[in-house]
Amino acid sequence: MKTSTNAIMIDIETLDTKSSAVVIQIAAVAFSYNNKGQVEVVDQLNIKLPVAPQLNRSRTISVSTVKFWLNTPAQQQLLGELLSPETKYNYDHALVEFLEFCQNHAPTEYWSQGPTFDMIILEDMLDNVGLITPWKFYQVRDLRTVQKFVGDDAKSKKMKAENSNHNALDDCHSQIKLLQHFIKKVKK
């Protein structure tokens, strides 16, 4: 892809909305894009995190967030999958693997849908175990800001509605498709 930007889309699922939230899933998708709306997904990382080690480090769970997860059978099922004993990562190793993924792809941009949530919580988690955040403040991008300025249309609303299951990896892929849609819309 000619004159492309290397980026990582990040999404997390949590059991609280504070910066100290217990995180049950971290997903990151490395991709490149250009100003014509061409996107190439390069790699992905999907980590399910255990809860107990996070509670031991004073990370938090809120009743309202747990109620949100129990709101529908689909959300209950996903929560059960994310909390299953099949979690393959220990807490510290998971954060190191996330950092290595970011460093290996050396993006110039880190995207999320609301960096004051995902990025702030990840920064707090990394700091909590003595690790350094892989991004600089000027590398963080917000999909919601792009959406606000470009404007929703029938296609973007449909795209958002099709993926509202709160699986962080699915959310990353959907958010990349939305970014692609918005770039193409601006170019018309």
Side-chain angles (χ1 to χ4, degrees):
M1 210 179 318
K2 210 170 193 177
T3 62
S4 63
T5 300
N6 293 326
I8 292 180
M9 183 68 74
I10 295 172
D11 195 75
I12 61 175
E13 299 302 334
T14 69
L15 295 178
D16 198 353
T17 57
K18 295 179 183 173
S19 62
S20 59
V22 165
V23 176
I24 55 177
Q25 184 184 22
I26 300 173
V29 177
F31 67 105
S32 59
Y33 71 96
N34 64 23
N35 63 3
K36 294 180 181 175
Q38 295 171 313
V39 171
E40 179 183 358
V41 171
V42 178
D43 197 4
Q44 65 183 28
L45 178 70
N46 186 26
I47 300 173
K48 293 190 311 183
L49 293 162
V51 173
Q54 295 182 68
L55 294 174
N56 292 339
R57 292 180 188 234
S58 301
R59 302 209 60 82
T60 57
I61 296 174
S62 74
V63 172
S64 61
T65 305
V66 172
K67 283 182 180 178
F68 163 81
W69 278 104
L70 300 176
N71 196 33
T72 67
Q75 287 171 292
Q76 291 171 16
Q77 180 180 350
L78 179 60
L79 180 62
E81 290 169 11
L82 292 173
L83 295 176
S84 76
E86 295 174 13
T87 301
K88 299 197 175 19
Y89 295 91
N90 78 36
Y91 181 60
D92 292 0
H93 181 262
L95 295 176
V96 168
E97 186 162 339
F98 171 73
L99 281 178
E100 288 173 351
F101 180 86
C102 294
Q103 291 163 350
N104 289 340
H105 291 288
T108 56
E109 298 176 352
Y110 290 85
W111 285 85
S112 68
Q113 186 158 296
T116 58
F117 183 78
D118 301 78
M119 307 311 249
I120 297 298
I121 292 172
L122 285 169
E123 287 174 4
D124 190 75
M125 287 180 77
L126 292 165
D127 185 57
N128 191 254
V129 296
L131 296 172
I132 297 171
T133 305
W135 52 83
K136 304 290 185 209
F137 70 93
Y138 54 83
Q139 293 178 296
V140 176
R141 304 291 186 268
D142 181 14
L143 184 60
R144 285 191 179 121
T145 302
V146 173
Q147 178 182 335
K148 178 177 176 27
F149 286 109
V150 175
D152 264 334
D153 57 16
K155 184 174 180 179
S156 64
K157 287 178 183 176
K158 181 181 179 198
M159 291 169 76
K160 288 188 289 186
E162 287 174 349
N163 185 44
S164 57
N165 67 358
H166 297 285
N167 177 302
L169 186 59
D170 292 346
D171 290 350
C172 281
H173 285 285
S174 293
Q175 290 161 195
I176 290 169
K177 287 177 185 171
L178 271 172
L179 177 62
Q180 180 180 29
H181 171 72
F182 292 137
I183 292 169
K184 286 180 177 180
K185 188 175 172 185
V186 167
K187 287 298 176 180
K188 285 186 179 178

